[in-house]
Amino acid sequence: LVVAGTVFVLLGAMRTPENSNLSKIRATFTARKDELIVTVTETGSIKAQQSTDIECDVGGRGMEIADIVPEGTVITQEDVDNGRILCQLNSSDLEDYYSREKTELSADQASYLQAQESHLIQLKQNESDIAAAQLAVEFGLLDLQNYLGKTAAEKLVNQVEQDPNATIEMSVLMEFLADPNSLGGEALQSLKQYKDNILLAEGQFQKFTDVLAGTVKLHDANYASDLDLQSAKLDVDRFRVQKESAEEALNLFNLYGLPKQAKQLLSDYAESKRDLVRTYARTRSQLAQAEVRLESTKARYELQTERVDKLEREIAACTIRAPSPGIVIYGSSADWEKRRQDPIEVGDMVHRGQKIFSIPNSNLMGVELRVHEASVNMVKPGQRAKVTVEAHPDTPFEGKVTSVAPLPDPQRGWLDPGSKVYTTQVTIDGAHEIIKPGMSAKVEILVDHLYDVVIVPVQVVANRGGRKVCYIDTGGMPEEREVETGAFNDIFVEIVNGVEVGENVLLSPPRNLEPKTDPRTNTTVASIAGR
């Protein structure tokens, strides 16, 4: 009853505007110079800053888990060095398939080696064929020059080279060979031989004609017998026939023998050149075919090699060894519903890309928290922070901000209250075995530390018409004063201008000041209309 009565009396006194002791019951704060520690405090979850995810690296319709270490197994550096097996997938089907593909690889390798040898042989054969064709052209020209001489041979060769499809008629050949000075070689020797035979036959004919004339005179003078005269006549007839035969032989040589042999040799030379062209084309075709066979067998061999190598990698990937020290956490543990309905265990099927488990690095832990948009501009990478884990509230840890997301987290439907938050990572200094991933933690980020600044509680500053004001306790009616604020934390705010050290400010600024008429003096005064 005493307490209730006291409260009633105080409330009545506060409601009385005319009470002269109003300033005594107002809560005030004396502005002072002090240090100001500006922090941003948020909560988050412990998360490893480095984590090794172990995924299934084997394709196909799925791989069966033959063996796996229990979740929560601690992996030491010694386990990593010794290659401790964390998970073994059933690779029997892959090994059978690997044996068949390995056999096929041997056959493809043999085909590839054979194609290489065939390609090399074809190269050598082409060189021999081209060399033989080139030599035939050279020999054909030499044969032509040997028969006609160099000058006449060059005339015919130039005629053929100007028009390879032109037909060299006998008359054309005779025009080329009309000049005896242009001939040489065997043709010139044969021509001289025919002319020499005519010359000798003419000499003999002339000789025995003279002998016949003398024999006739001797026969008429009865110095020669009829037999001698008959023998002289036979000698003249014999050498006349020999002369005519020699002349006919020369004529036949000029009309047929020389042109025929010249044309035959010229044709052989031209044919050798055409054969050289055909040889080039044939060797190119044969080489192209050999190269196609080589490339085809090479591609098949390389494709089969990649297939075998892939199988080897997949078989090796069926044995998952410890990659780094840490704690084994199953891939399904991150999703509570999936962990409850379909936990990872021996006999389960896993697919390529599916995370089997992860190993967070316990030596590098941190806190993932979400900073409200009102404070995110104050948080910068490199700022120091104090981390308090709820499981160990009496053991604070030091850390620093490592990253702040440039964009806010996406909205999460109707469950999202509409406020924007930014994911921020804070790294904890040192290694601490008592810290586990997933633990809740509170992080106090040190934004600024000011010294010797004027501070007042944050609640004394009010907004009035877009202005920041404080209310100074003057003993009577409070004085409204516009202020300029600086840095602030959850408790205090820096007053840059507007309040002096030692002035008392109201802890609870009034909502507004209402004018009221004093009935005793009939004048208008201002009164406080509530908080």
Side-chain angles (χ1 to χ4, degrees):
L1 290 176
V2 173
V3 173
T6 304
V7 171
F8 178 78
V9 171
L10 290 175
L11 289 175
M14 292 178 65
R15 290 175 181 174
T16 305
E18 293 81 9
N19 191 350
S20 61
N21 295 325
L22 182 64
S23 62
K24 295 182 180 180
I25 63 174
R26 292 173 185 166
T28 62
F29 179 86
T30 303
R32 69 173 186 267
K33 280 192 174 183
D34 204 340
E35 64 178 358
L36 179 63
I37 300 176
V38 182
T39 61
V40 173
T41 303
E42 297 286 352
T43 59
S45 299
I46 298 294
K47 183 179 180 181
Q49 299 300 293
Q50 290 181 353
S51 181
T52 304
D53 292 336
I54 310 298
E55 298 179 350
C56 176
D57 197 23
V58 185
R61 293 174 294 178
M63 297 297 297
E64 179 186 5
I65 298 177
D67 189 23
I68 188 171
V69 297
E71 186 174 24
T73 301
V74 178
I75 306 301
T76 63
Q77 185 61 44
E78 183 179 359
D79 294 333
V80 176
D81 296 337
N82 295 334
R84 180 180 177 181
I85 298 176
L86 304 183
C87 180
Q88 180 66 56
L89 304 179
N90 188 352
S91 61
S92 57
D93 292 340
L94 283 177
E95 291 173 355
D96 293 340
Y97 185 41
Y98 173 77
S99 300
R100 294 193 298 269
E101 294 297 318
K102 189 73 173 177
T103 302
E104 187 173 347
L105 175 62
S106 300
D108 291 339
Q109 184 179 17
S111 299
Y112 177 47
L113 293 176
Q114 183 179 2
Q116 285 181 315
E117 293 298 328
S118 298
H119 181 263
L120 182 60
I121 293 172
Q122 190 62 54
L123 284 174
K124 298 299 182 182
Q125 185 63 46
N126 287 354
E127 292 176 0
S128 300
D129 293 345
I130 292 173
Q134 291 173 341
L135 193 61
V137 172
E138 184 179 354
F139 285 171
L141 180 60
L142 290 176
D143 289 341
L144 186 61
Q145 291 176 346
N146 180 61
Y147 184 71
L148 296 178
K150 187 175 182 180
T151 303
E154 287 180 352
K155 289 182 180 180
L156 292 178
V157 169
N158 290 335
Q159 179 69 17
V160 173
E161 289 180 349
Q162 289 175 4
D163 186 3
N165 298 321
T167 302
I168 304 300
E169 302 293 341
M170 293 294 183
S171 59
V172 177
L173 283 173
M174 293 309 297
E175 291 178 2
F176 280 117
L177 304 177
D179 183 9
N181 295 326
S182 65
L183 284 177
E186 292 180 358
L188 181 59
Q189 292 179 359
S190 297
L191 185 61
K192 287 181 178 180
Q193 184 65 41
Y194 285 121
K195 290 181 178 181
D196 289 343
N197 290 340
I198 294 173
L199 183 61
L200 291 174
E202 286 179 347
Q204 291 295 330
F205 175 72
Q206 187 63 40
K207 173 184 174 182
F208 282 100
T209 299
D210 293 341
V211 171
L212 177 60
T215 303
V216 170
K217 290 179 180 181
L218 290 176
H219 181 272
D220 291 341
N222 294 320
Y223 288 105
S225 62
D226 293 337
L227 182 62
D228 292 334
L229 179 62
Q230 187 65 32
S231 176
K233 288 180 179 180
L234 291 174
D235 288 337
V236 171
D237 291 338
R238 180 165 59 86
F239 283 106
R240 183 177 63 249
V241 171
Q242 185 176 357
K243 175 190 172 189
E244 292 174 354
S245 177
E247 289 176 349
E248 185 64 21
L250 176 60
N251 187 40
L252 292 175
F253 175 73
N254 286 331
L255 290 177
Y256 305 109
L258 176 60
K260 176 185 176 181
Q261 186 65 17
K263 190 171 183 178
Q264 181 64 51
L265 293 174
L266 180 62
S267 176
D268 293 343
Y269 170 69
E271 182 62 25
S272 67
K273 294 192 69 175
R274 287 191 291 269
D275 186 64
L276 176 61
V277 174
R278 290 193 297 269
T279 301
Y280 279 127
R282 184 177 63 256
T283 53
R284 286 196 301 268
S285 175
Q286 293 172 344
L287 182 61
Q289 294 175 9
E291 288 177 346
V292 168
R293 288 193 297 270
L294 178 61
E295 291 298 326
S296 176
T297 55
K298 179 182 178 182
R300 187 164 56 249
Y301 170 66
E302 290 179 347
L303 180 62
Q304 189 64 20
T305 300
E306 292 178 0
R307 188 176 297 152
V308 171
D309 292 343
K310 180 180 178 181
L311 286 173
E312 289 178 349
R313 292 193 299 270
E314 289 187 344
I315 292 174
C318 289
T319 302
I320 302 175
R321 303 181 183 275
S324 60
I327 302 174
V328 175
I329 299 177
Y330 287 173
S332 60
S333 297
D335 187 342
W336 179 86
E337 187 69 19
K338 185 175 181 181
R339 178 178 58 184
R340 182 179 65 84
Q341 295 180 357
D342 187 21
I344 291 180
E345 57 187 0
V346 174
D348 281 355
M349 302 296 290
V350 292
H351 306 274
R352 181 186 294 276
Q354 178 180 346
K355 185 166 71 172
I356 302 176
F357 46 75
S358 62
I359 303 178
N361 186 355
S362 58
N363 294 328
L364 188 60
M365 304 295 285
V367 182
E368 182 178 87
L369 49 94
R370 288 167 177 80
V371 178
H372 193 273
E373 60 182 341
S375 305
V376 70
N377 288 333
M378 295 189 296
V379 179
K380 308 292 181 184
Q383 293 174 341
R384 300 301 301 175
K386 183 175 71 173
V387 179
T388 303
V389 181
E390 290 191 7
H392 308 280
D394 298 331
T395 307
F397 303 95
E398 295 294 326
K400 69 176 181 179
V401 178
T402 55
S403 66
V404 180
L407 298 175
D409 293 352
Q411 301 292 321
R412 291 173 292 181
W414 61 273
L415 293 176
D416 199 314
S419 60
K420 300 272 175 58
V421 291
Y422 293 74
T423 299
T424 303
Q425 303 292 339
V426 175
T427 302
I428 300 175
D429 297 340
H432 309 279
E433 295 182 357
I434 61 175
I435 301 178
K436 305 295 182 184
M439 288 183 173
S440 298
K442 182 179 72 172
V443 179
E444 186 178 358
I445 302 173
L446 177 60
V447 175
D448 203 353
H449 194 166
L450 304 177
Y451 298 90
D452 199 24
V453 294
V454 179
I455 62 172
V456 296
V458 292
Q459 67 266 27
V460 307
V461 180
N463 287 317
R464 297 290 184 265
R467 301 177 301 120
K468 294 181 180 180
V469 298
C470 288
Y471 291 91
I472 308 299
D473 185 9
T474 59
M477 293 302 300
E479 176 189 351
E480 181 183 275
R481 188 179 299 174
E482 185 175 356
V483 296
E484 179 183 354
T485 61
F488 63 92
N489 57 22
D490 293 339
I491 302 175
F492 294 103
V493 61
E494 175 190 5
I495 300 298
V496 178
N497 191 15
V499 175
E500 300 295 335
V501 174
E503 291 184 317
N504 294 323
V505 293
L506 297 183
L507 287 175
S508 298
R511 285 199 298 266
N512 54 27
L513 295 176
E514 297 179 351
K516 188 176 181 180
T517 302
D518 188 349
R520 294 173 297 177
T521 61
N522 199 24
T523 59
T524 301
V525 295
S527 65
I528 300 176
R531 292 184 57 192

